[in-house]
Every structure is written in C-alpha cells, then in structure tokens.
Amino acid sequence: MDFELSAEQRLFRDTLRKFVDEQIRPVAREWEASGRYPDEIVAAMRKLGLFGLTVPEEYGGMAADMVSLAVAFEEISRGWMGVAGILGSHSLSCWMIARFGTAEQKQAHLPALASGERRTGIALTEPGAGSDLQGIATTARRRGDAYILNGRKTWITNARHADPLPVLVKTDPAARPAHAGMSVLLVDAAAPGFQVVRDLPKLGYHGPETCELVFDEVQVPASALLGGAEGNGLQQVLAALETGRINVAARAVGVAQEAYDQALRYAGEREAFGQRISRFQAVQLKIADMAMKLQAARLLVYWAATRADSGQRSDLESGMAKVYASEVAMECAAAAMQVHGGYGYSREFTVERLYRDAPLMVIGEGTNDILRTVIARSLTSGRGSIG
Ligand SMILES: Cc1cc2nc3c(=O)[nH]c(=O)nc-3n(C[C@H](O)[C@H](O)[C@H](O)COP(=O)(O)OP(=O)(O)OC[C@H]3O[C@@H](n4cnc5c(N)ncnc54)[C@H](O)[C@@H]3O)c2cc1C
C-alpha cells in the first residue's frame, strides 16, 4: 500500500496549486461576491487542458487517472469551489460520452469538448424528481428520424454554456420497470424550442450558472441518442455519477483543506488574553479534529479513485468517500468559522464562503441520505464489503 502520489501526480498537483495561487485566489472573493462569471479562469483552464480530463487521448484529451482527477478538483476547490463546478458536470458528461457514445458521437463532440472550445453539463433533475430519477416526466417521442422532446429540467449547472447538453428523458413512458424506457439525448444548444428560462438564486456555488430549462417540442435527430439504443439512459447516467461522486468528494476535501488552512493561520495570528489563540486548548482541539477528519476524507477519496481506476464498480467506495468528505467539509467550515470569532461571519474573510459552499457537496451527485442507502444495499447484499 502506497499513500503517496506518483511523481507524475505530484507534478500535476504542483502545477495546479501554482495556477490556483496565481489566477484563482487573487480574484475569488471579489468575483464570487459580485456573481461575475470567471471567463479568464475558464480560458486559463483551457490552456491547461483541464476540459479534457476525462476525454481519451485519441480525441485530444488528457485521459487522467481518477486519482489525478481528484487532485485537480481538490486543488481548484481550495481556491474557489464554484470554479471546480464549471469542470464538474462537464467532466462527468465527457466521461459518459466517451464510455457510451457511438463512434460518430465521440468524433462529433469529444475533440471540441476536450479543448474547452465547447463545454457541457448534465440535465437529470426536474421540478418533480431529483433523487427519484425514474420519476422524471420529460419525454422524447420518436417521429421518423427524430425525437420530439417535451419537459422541464431544473438545477442544471453550466446550462448556458452546454453544447451539447445530455438530457435524461423517457423514450417509453409506459415501460416497466421505468428505467427500461429511459434514454439520454445529446441536445444541441441552438435547437428551436430549447430554452434556459431562469438562473436559480443560490446560497453559494457562485461562478457557474445553475438554471431551469424548458423543452417545448424540441426536435432532436435520432443520431443524438447516446449509444444509439433506447432504454440504457439510467444505467449510463448512474455509471457516470460514480465518477461524479469522486469529483464532488474531492471538491469537499479541497474546501475542508482550505477551512483548516485558514483556521490554522488565523489561530497563529490572533491574540486574546495576552496570547495567541492557538495556545488555547479549545482552539487546538478544533485544529486537531479538522486535521484528522480532513486527512481521513482525503484517503477515502483516493481509495475510491484507485478503485474506479481498476475498472471495477465503485458505487460503494465513491459513495462512502462522497458522504464522508462532504460531511467533513461542513464540519471544517463551521469549525474554521468559530476559530475566526466574529470575523468568520464577515464577507471579508474566506471562511464564510467555505461555509456557504460546503453544503452543496452533501446534495450533489446523490444526496447523502440516498448514498447511505446505496452503501447499505451494497454491503447487505454482499456485493460490496470492507475489512
Ligand atoms: C447548486 C446545485 C447544482 C445542481 N446541479 C445539477 C446539475 O447540473 N444537473 C442535475 O441534473 N441536477 C443538479 N442538481 C440537482 C441535484 O442533483 C438534486 O437537488 C439532488 O439530486 C436531490 O434532488 P431533489 O433536490 O429533487 O431532492 P429530493 O429528491 O426531493 O429529496 C429531498 C430530501 O428527501 C430525501 N430523500 C429522497 N428520497 C429518499 C429515499 N429514498 N431515502 C431517503 N431519503 C430520501 C433526500 O435525501 C433529501 O433530503 C443541482 C442541485 C444544486 C443545489
């Protein structure tokens, strides 16, 4: 067992850390507060090839291993978690197209997605169905060589920049079980009848837009059916979400690390009762707890990433990593805020942003409640095990 990153992974991490320190940290607070879209950061991420993280090399991507992917999301989230969100669903969908797309679909989309010339997201959630994806109401009726798409999606990150946007639909709404009638369509952003109707106001996760979408008689060519066969959509999406959970878990580790770093630094500077507050045992206990849980979360994420790299199913491991790391991020953000006293509540200090960003990781890519049921199902069925 090796707990160290490889030389190549360390070099990748150091490159990203430098990029975050030079190009994200100096602007994060101001741009996040103003709601400004980080175009310059996106341009820099394109130069680094980060939009191709999950794209095979033959299509111009980086084909990064999952540990490197986790390192990327962790480092970027230390600077600004919202920026990692711009890469998150993009990377998930690139992985899904590379894994399940037809040769024509891969050729048509992956090179431009890998370079970041075009970007993508994923449209699963609807006003009436989030965790219960088999309960979605968006339909795609086959008419000749096309599908006619009708429905509504909500909470869709990157929606104004996604082209194509993979959309989970029911191609056979009467199918039982429901997943047998579900498919993914790669929808062209310019398709008539497809409209981004509003940006949702959010507690945190500023940077990327998160939107509500309407599909009104949208005509999509049959060639846009992911993989070319109906009825595989839910499986395709669930497989992609396993990799998505590793990126969300890694984002949580990044947020927790930043909370810890901020708390440690502040505790070493602030004085009360004639001494640094880092000398008070109450503060020391918080620092120790943060460090232990943060490191445990990181190891769990790298373990899940290693499992995913081995080509085996990783729903148990990625679920455990995502649940634990997101809850550690919440705890660390709250503890860091307490260490900062009143200043932790100020918008002039980073910890308040961490406190607003951390809860998203509990919700995204499967809520922690749902993932606990996934973990338990895997363990009780004997399909997964630990120890
Ligand atoms: C900022 C943000 C960005 C997002 N980006 C995207 C995106 O890009 N694409 C996308 O498709 N979606 C996106 N989402 C949506 C997100 O994936 C959903 O919010 C999430 O899956 C939960 O769905 P829901 O909100 O409908 O909650 P619900 O499914 O209604 O759940 C409500 C509560 O009930 C609990 N619950 C539900 N069912 C069960 C069960 N069987 N057992 C135990 N507890 C249960 C849940 O854990 C939760 O606590 C985003 C959400 C946010 C907040």
Side-chain angles (χ1 to χ4, degrees):
M1 183 169 288
D2 186 357
F3 288 104
E4 298 301 322
L5 297 176
S6 69
E8 206 178 325
Q9 288 163 341
R10 270 203 312 278
L11 182 66
F12 185 54
R13 182 196 62 191
D14 295 346
T15 305
L16 284 165
R17 197 166 285 180
K18 187 164 178 289
F19 158 66
V20 170
D21 285 345
E22 289 176 0
Q23 302 199 46
I24 298 185
R25 278 185 199 285
V27 296
R29 186 174 311 139
E30 197 186 318
W31 291 8
E32 199 266 349
S34 69
R36 181 189 188 288
Y37 195 82
D39 287 306
E40 296 86 340
I41 297 175
V42 169
M45 292 199 297
R46 281 188 64 179
K47 276 200 194 126
L48 286 169
L50 293 175
F51 287 96
L53 271 173
T54 57
V55 177
E57 287 172 348
E58 59 190 296
Y59 298 104
M62 204 185 271
D65 60 90
M66 282 293 156
V67 175
S68 298
L69 178 126
V71 165
F73 280 96
E74 181 183 329
E75 290 302 323
I76 294 170
S77 299
R78 286 172 77 160
W80 181 0
M81 198 281 287
V83 167
I86 294 172
L87 279 181
S89 48
H90 172 92
S91 302
L92 180 155
S93 285
C94 286
W95 183 93
M96 187 172 72
I97 294 169
R99 176 72 174 262
F100 300 112
T102 62
E104 293 75 26
Q105 288 165 347
K106 292 189 224 184
Q107 201 52 58
H109 300 301
L110 290 178
L113 293 174
S115 71
E117 177 195 335
R118 285 198 278 127
R119 306 216 297 274
T120 188
I122 182 100
L124 312 174
T125 308
E126 300 188 355
S131 305
D132 178 17
L133 285 178
Q134 296 198 59
I136 62 166
T138 299
T139 57
R141 279 176 289 113
R142 182 79 189 236
R143 190 193 292 160
D145 270 352
Y147 287 95
I148 309 298
L149 199 58
N150 281 289
R152 252 187 138 80
K153 295 283 177 183
T154 194
W155 288 114
I156 310 308
T157 301
N158 292 340
R160 292 189 186 280
H161 292 86
D163 186 21
L165 178 66
V167 181
L168 185 67
V169 297
K170 284 198 169 159
T171 35
D172 179 4
R176 293 293 173 269
H179 68 79
M182 294 173 74
S183 308
V184 171
L185 288 174
L186 305 175
V187 176
D188 186 332
F194 169 38
Q195 215 190 332
V196 178
V197 286
R198 71 177 181 123
D199 288 67
L200 298 169
K202 299 174 285 192
L203 173 68
Y205 198 43
H206 298 148
E209 73 284 13
T210 303
C211 306
E212 194 168 321
L213 320 176
V214 168
F215 302 91
D216 181 12
E217 294 287 297
V218 178
Q219 186 165 328
V220 180
S223 59
L225 177 70
L226 184 66
E230 291 182 11
N232 298 321
L234 192 67
Q235 289 94 317
Q236 292 165 342
V237 159
L238 293 181
L241 285 172
E242 282 181 23
T243 68
R245 276 170 204 143
I246 290 171
N247 103 45
V248 170
R251 285 193 237 173
V253 172
V255 168
Q257 178 73 50
E258 185 64 16
Y260 166 81
D261 288 344
Q262 294 286 339
L264 189 66
R265 188 186 50 74
Y266 189 79
E269 289 170 0
R270 176 74 173 175
E271 291 195 357
F273 299 94
Q275 59 181 342
R276 301 237 157 92
I277 63 168
S278 59
R279 302 194 68 156
F280 295 119
Q281 200 175 39
V283 172
Q284 290 177 354
L285 298 181
K286 285 191 185 62
I287 301 283
D289 278 343
M290 290 167 86
M292 286 188 292
K293 291 180 181 179
L294 159 61
Q295 189 59 6
R298 175 177 288 118
L299 293 176
L300 211 47
V301 175
Y302 292 177
W303 169 66
T306 305
R307 169 81 178 194
D309 276 332
S310 73
Q312 301 174 74
R313 279 210 65 180
S314 62
D315 56 340
L316 174 69
E317 294 79 1
S318 63
M320 287 171 80
K322 195 284 219 185
V323 169
Y324 187 73
S326 60
E327 291 175 5
V328 166
M330 297 259 284
E331 284 179 48
C332 287
M337 195 178 244
Q338 275 181 276
V339 169
H340 278 70
Y343 295 98
Y345 206 61
S346 164
R347 301 207 89 165
E348 292 174 341
F349 283 71
T350 303
V351 288
E352 69 83 29
R353 169 159 48 87
L354 304 174
Y355 190 78
R356 288 184 289 108
D357 280 348
L360 176 63
M361 271 77 71
V362 171
I363 301 164
E365 253 79 345
T367 68
N368 283 9
D369 292 332
I370 293 290
L371 290 186
R372 280 189 162 88
T373 68
V374 170
I375 293 164
R377 209 178 309 133
S378 173
L379 294 172
T380 54
S381 68
R383 197 161 45 73
S385 65
I386 54 158

Coordinates of all heavy atoms in Angstrom, one line a residue, residues 89 121-133 153-159 165 200 202-205 209-211 241 359-360 362-371 373 377, ligand 1:
S89 N -19.6 18.9 -14.0 CA -20.6 18.1 -14.8 C -20.0 18.0 -16.3 O -20.4 17.1 -17.0 CB -22.0 18.7 -14.8 OG -22.0 20.1 -15.0
G121 N -22.7 19.9 -19.7 CA -23.2 19.7 -18.4 C -24.1 18.4 -18.4 O -23.9 17.6 -19.3
I122 N -25.0 18.3 -17.5 CA -25.9 17.1 -17.5 C -27.2 17.5 -16.9 O -27.3 18.2 -15.9 CB -25.3 16.0 -16.7 CG1 -26.1 14.7 -16.7 CG2 -25.0 16.3 -15.2 CD1 -25.6 13.7 -17.7
A123 N -28.3 17.1 -17.7 CA -29.7 17.5 -17.2 C -30.5 16.3 -16.8 O -31.0 15.6 -17.7 CB -30.3 18.3 -18.4
L124 N -30.5 16.1 -15.5 CA -31.2 15.0 -15.0 C -32.5 15.5 -14.2 O -33.6 15.0 -14.3 CB -30.3 14.2 -14.0 CG -29.0 13.8 -14.5 CD1 -28.1 13.1 -13.4 CD2 -29.1 12.8 -15.7
T125 N -32.2 16.4 -13.2 CA -33.2 16.8 -12.2 C -34.3 17.6 -12.8 O -34.2 18.3 -13.8 CB -32.5 17.6 -11.1 OG1 -31.3 16.9 -10.7 CG2 -33.4 18.0 -10.0
E126 N -35.5 17.3 -12.3 CA -36.7 18.0 -12.7 C -37.4 18.6 -11.5 O -37.2 18.2 -10.4 CB -37.7 17.1 -13.5 CG -37.0 16.4 -14.7 CD -38.0 15.6 -15.5 OE1 -39.2 15.5 -15.1 OE2 -37.5 15.1 -16.6
P127 N -38.4 19.5 -11.8 CA -39.1 20.1 -10.6 C -39.7 19.0 -9.7 O -39.8 19.1 -8.5 CB -40.1 21.0 -11.2 CG -39.5 21.4 -12.6 CD -38.7 20.2 -13.0
G128 N -40.2 17.9 -10.4 CA -40.9 16.9 -9.6 C -40.0 15.7 -9.3 O -40.6 14.7 -8.7
A129 N -38.8 15.6 -9.7 CA -38.0 14.4 -9.5 C -36.5 14.7 -9.5 O -35.9 15.2 -10.4 CB -38.3 13.4 -10.6
G130 N -35.9 14.4 -8.3 CA -34.4 14.6 -8.2 C -33.8 13.3 -7.9 O -33.2 12.6 -8.7
S131 N -33.9 12.9 -6.6 CA -33.3 11.6 -6.2 C -34.0 10.5 -7.0 O -33.4 9.5 -7.3 CB -33.6 11.4 -4.7 OG -33.1 12.4 -3.9
D132 N -35.3 10.6 -7.2 CA -36.1 9.6 -7.8 C -36.1 9.8 -9.3 O -37.1 10.2 -9.9 CB -37.5 9.6 -7.3 CG -38.4 8.6 -8.0 OD1 -37.9 7.6 -8.6 OD2 -39.7 8.7 -7.9
L133 N -34.9 9.4 -10.0 CA -34.8 9.7 -11.4 C -35.8 9.0 -12.3 O -36.1 9.4 -13.4 CB -33.4 9.5 -11.9 CG -32.4 10.6 -11.4 CD1 -30.9 10.2 -11.9 CD2 -32.7 11.9 -11.9
K153 N -36.5 20.8 -17.0 CA -35.4 20.4 -16.1 C -35.0 21.5 -15.2 O -35.2 22.7 -15.5 CB -34.1 20.0 -16.9 CG -34.3 18.7 -17.8 CD -34.3 17.4 -17.0 CE -34.6 16.2 -17.8 NZ -34.7 15.0 -17.1
T154 N -34.5 21.2 -14.0 CA -34.1 22.3 -13.1 C -32.8 22.0 -12.4 O -32.4 20.9 -12.4 CB -35.3 22.6 -12.1 OG1 -35.0 23.8 -11.4 CG2 -35.4 21.5 -11.0
W155 N -32.2 23.0 -11.8 CA -30.9 22.9 -11.1 C -29.8 22.5 -12.1 O -28.9 21.7 -11.7 CB -31.0 22.0 -10.0 CG -31.8 22.5 -8.8 CD1 -32.9 22.0 -8.3 CD2 -31.4 23.6 -8.0 NE1 -33.4 22.8 -7.2 CE2 -32.4 23.8 -7.0 CE3 -30.3 24.5 -7.9 CZ2 -32.4 24.8 -6.0 CZ3 -30.3 25.5 -7.0 CH2 -31.3 25.6 -6.0
I156 N -29.8 22.9 -13.3 CA -28.8 22.4 -14.3 C -27.6 23.4 -14.4 O -27.7 24.5 -14.9 CB -29.5 22.2 -15.7 CG1 -30.8 21.3 -15.5 CG2 -28.4 21.5 -16.6 CD1 -30.6 20.0 -14.7
T157 N -26.5 22.9 -13.9 CA -25.3 23.7 -13.8 C -24.7 23.7 -15.3 O -24.7 22.7 -16.0 CB -24.3 23.0 -12.8 OG1 -24.9 23.0 -11.6 CG2 -23.0 23.8 -12.7
N158 N -24.1 24.8 -15.6 CA -23.5 25.1 -16.9 C -24.5 25.1 -18.1 O -24.1 25.1 -19.2 CB -22.5 23.9 -17.3 CG -21.2 23.9 -16.4 OD1 -20.9 24.9 -15.7 ND2 -20.5 22.8 -16.3
A159 N -25.8 25.3 -17.7 CA -26.8 25.2 -18.8 C -26.6 26.2 -19.9 O -26.9 26.0 -21.1 CB -28.2 25.3 -18.2
L165 N -26.0 19.4 -24.6 CA -26.3 19.1 -23.3 C -27.0 17.7 -23.2 O -28.0 17.5 -23.8 CB -27.4 20.1 -22.8 CG -27.9 19.9 -21.4 CD1 -26.8 20.1 -20.3 CD2 -29.1 20.9 -21.1
L200 N -31.1 30.1 -11.2 CA -31.6 29.9 -9.8 C -30.7 30.7 -8.8 O -29.5 30.5 -8.9 CB -31.7 28.4 -9.5 CG -32.7 27.7 -10.4 CD1 -32.5 26.2 -10.3 CD2 -34.1 28.1 -10.2
K202 N -28.7 31.1 -5.5 CA -28.1 30.1 -4.7 C -27.4 30.7 -3.5 O -27.0 31.8 -3.5 CB -27.1 29.3 -5.5 CG -27.6 28.6 -6.7 CD -26.4 28.0 -7.5 CE -25.6 29.0 -8.3 NZ -24.7 28.4 -9.3
L203 N -27.4 29.8 -2.4 CA -26.6 30.2 -1.2 C -25.2 30.4 -1.5 O -24.5 31.4 -1.1 CB -26.8 29.1 -0.2 CG -26.0 29.1 1.1 CD1 -26.5 30.3 2.0 CD2 -26.0 27.8 1.9
G204 N -24.6 29.5 -2.2 CA -23.2 29.6 -2.6 C -23.0 29.0 -4.0 O -23.9 29.2 -4.8
Y205 N -21.8 28.4 -4.3 CA -21.6 27.8 -5.6 C -21.8 28.8 -6.7 O -22.3 28.6 -7.7 CB -22.6 26.6 -5.8 CG -22.2 25.6 -6.9 CD1 -20.9 25.2 -7.0 CD2 -23.2 25.2 -7.7 CE1 -20.6 24.2 -8.0 CE2 -22.9 24.2 -8.7 CZ -21.6 23.8 -8.8 OH -21.3 22.8 -9.8
E209 N -23.4 29.0 -13.6 CA -24.8 29.3 -13.6 C -25.5 27.9 -13.3 O -25.1 26.9 -13.8 CB -25.3 29.9 -14.9 CG -25.3 29.0 -16.1 CD -24.0 28.7 -16.7 OE1 -23.0 29.0 -16.1 OE2 -24.0 28.2 -17.8
T210 N -26.7 28.0 -12.6 CA -27.5 26.8 -12.4 C -28.9 27.2 -12.7 O -29.4 28.2 -12.2 CB -27.3 26.4 -10.9 OG1 -25.9 26.1 -10.6 CG2 -28.1 25.1 -10.6
C211 N -29.5 26.5 -13.7 CA -30.7 27.1 -14.4 C -31.9 26.1 -14.5 O -31.7 24.9 -14.3 CB -30.3 27.4 -15.8 SG -28.9 28.5 -15.9
L241 N -22.3 9.0 -12.8 CA -22.4 9.6 -11.4 C -21.4 9.0 -10.4 O -21.0 9.7 -9.5 CB -23.8 9.5 -10.9 CG -24.9 10.4 -11.5 CD1 -26.3 10.1 -11.0 CD2 -24.6 11.9 -11.2
P359 N -22.3 22.9 1.9 CA -23.5 22.1 1.9 C -23.8 21.5 0.5 O -24.5 20.5 0.4 CB -24.6 23.1 2.3 CG -23.9 24.1 3.1 CD -22.5 24.3 2.4
L360 N -23.4 22.2 -0.6 CA -23.7 21.6 -1.9 C -23.2 20.2 -2.0 O -23.8 19.3 -2.7 CB -23.1 22.5 -3.0 CG -23.4 21.9 -4.4 CD1 -24.9 21.8 -4.7 CD2 -22.7 22.7 -5.5
V362 N -23.1 17.9 0.0 CA -24.0 16.9 0.7 C -25.2 16.6 -0.3 O -25.7 15.5 -0.2 CB -24.5 17.5 2.0 CG1 -25.6 16.7 2.6 CG2 -23.3 17.7 3.0
I363 N -25.5 17.5 -1.1 CA -26.7 17.4 -2.0 C -26.3 16.8 -3.4 O -27.0 15.9 -3.9 CB -27.4 18.7 -2.2 CG1 -27.8 19.4 -0.9 CG2 -28.5 18.6 -3.2 CD1 -28.1 20.9 -1.0
G364 N -25.2 17.3 -4.0 CA -24.9 17.0 -5.4 C -24.5 15.5 -5.6 O -24.0 14.9 -4.7
E365 N -24.8 15.0 -6.8 CA -24.4 13.7 -7.2 C -25.0 12.6 -6.3 O -24.3 11.6 -6.0 CB -22.9 13.6 -7.3 CG -22.3 13.5 -8.7 CD -22.3 14.9 -9.4 OE1 -23.0 15.9 -8.9 OE2 -21.7 15.1 -10.4
G366 N -26.2 12.8 -5.9 CA -26.9 11.9 -4.9 C -26.8 12.5 -3.5 O -25.7 12.7 -3.1
T367 N -27.9 12.7 -2.9 CA -27.9 13.2 -1.5 C -27.2 12.2 -0.6 O -27.2 11.0 -0.9 CB -29.3 13.5 -1.0 OG1 -30.0 12.3 -0.8 CG2 -30.1 14.4 -1.9
N368 N -26.7 12.7 0.5 CA -26.0 11.7 1.4 C -27.0 10.7 2.0 O -26.6 9.5 2.2 CB -25.3 12.5 2.6 CG -24.0 13.1 2.1 OD1 -23.7 13.1 0.9 ND2 -23.3 13.7 3.0
D369 N -28.3 11.0 2.1 CA -29.2 10.0 2.6 C -29.3 8.9 1.5 O -29.3 7.7 1.9 CB -30.6 10.7 2.7 CG -30.7 11.6 3.9 OD1 -29.9 11.5 4.8 OD2 -31.5 12.6 3.8
I370 N -29.5 9.3 0.3 CA -29.6 8.3 -0.8 C -28.3 7.5 -0.9 O -28.4 6.2 -1.0 CB -29.8 9.0 -2.2 CG1 -31.2 9.7 -2.2 CG2 -29.7 8.1 -3.3 CD1 -32.4 8.7 -2.2
L371 N -27.2 8.1 -0.7 CA -25.9 7.3 -0.8 C -25.7 6.4 0.3 O -25.2 5.3 0.2 CB -24.7 8.3 -1.0 CG -24.7 9.0 -2.4 CD1 -23.4 9.8 -2.5 CD2 -24.8 8.0 -3.5
T373 N -28.1 4.8 1.6 CA -28.9 3.6 1.2 C -28.2 2.7 0.2 O -28.2 1.5 0.2 CB -30.3 3.9 0.7 OG1 -30.2 4.6 -0.5 CG2 -31.1 4.8 1.7
R377 N -27.1 -1.0 0.8 CA -27.5 -2.1 -0.1 C -26.3 -2.9 -0.6 O -26.4 -4.1 -0.7 CB -28.3 -1.4 -1.3 CG -29.3 -2.3 -1.9 CD -30.1 -1.7 -3.0 NE -30.6 -0.4 -2.7 CZ -30.5 0.7 -3.5 NH1 -29.8 0.6 -4.7 NH2 -31.0 1.9 -3.2
Ligands
LIG1 C1 -26.4 24.1 -6.8 C2 -26.9 22.8 -7.4 C3 -26.5 22.4 -8.6 C4 -27.0 21.3 -9.2 N1 -26.6 20.9 -10.5 C5 -27.3 19.9 -11.1 C6 -27.0 19.5 -12.5 O1 -26.1 20.1 -13.1 N2 -27.7 18.6 -13.1 C7 -28.7 17.9 -12.5 O2 -29.4 17.1 -13.1 N3 -29.0 18.2 -11.2 C8 -28.3 19.2 -10.5 N4 -28.7 19.5 -9.2 C9 -29.8 18.8 -8.6 C10 -29.4 17.8 -7.5 O3 -28.8 16.7 -8.1 C11 -30.7 17.4 -6.7 O4 -31.0 18.5 -6.0 C12 -30.5 16.2 -5.9 O5 -30.3 15.0 -6.6 C13 -31.7 16.0 -4.9 O6 -32.9 16.0 -5.6 P1 -34.1 17.0 -5.1 O7 -33.5 18.3 -4.9 O8 -35.2 16.8 -6.0 O9 -34.4 16.4 -3.7 P2 -35.4 15.2 -3.3 O10 -35.1 14.0 -4.2 O11 -36.8 15.7 -3.4 O12 -35.0 14.9 -1.8 C14 -35.5 15.7 -0.7 C15 -35.0 15.0 0.6 O13 -35.6 13.7 0.7 C16 -34.5 12.8 0.8 N5 -34.9 11.5 0.1 C17 -35.5 11.4 -1.1 N6 -35.7 10.1 -1.4 C18 -35.2 9.4 -0.4 C19 -35.0 8.0 -0.1 N7 -35.4 7.0 -1.0 N8 -34.4 7.6 1.1 C20 -34.0 8.6 2.0 N9 -34.1 9.9 1.8 C21 -34.7 10.3 0.6 C22 -33.3 13.4 0.2 O14 -32.1 12.8 0.7 C23 -33.5 14.8 0.6 O15 -33.0 15.0 1.9 C24 -28.1 20.6 -8.6 C25 -28.5 21.0 -7.3 C26 -28.0 22.1 -6.7 C27 -28.5 22.6 -5.4

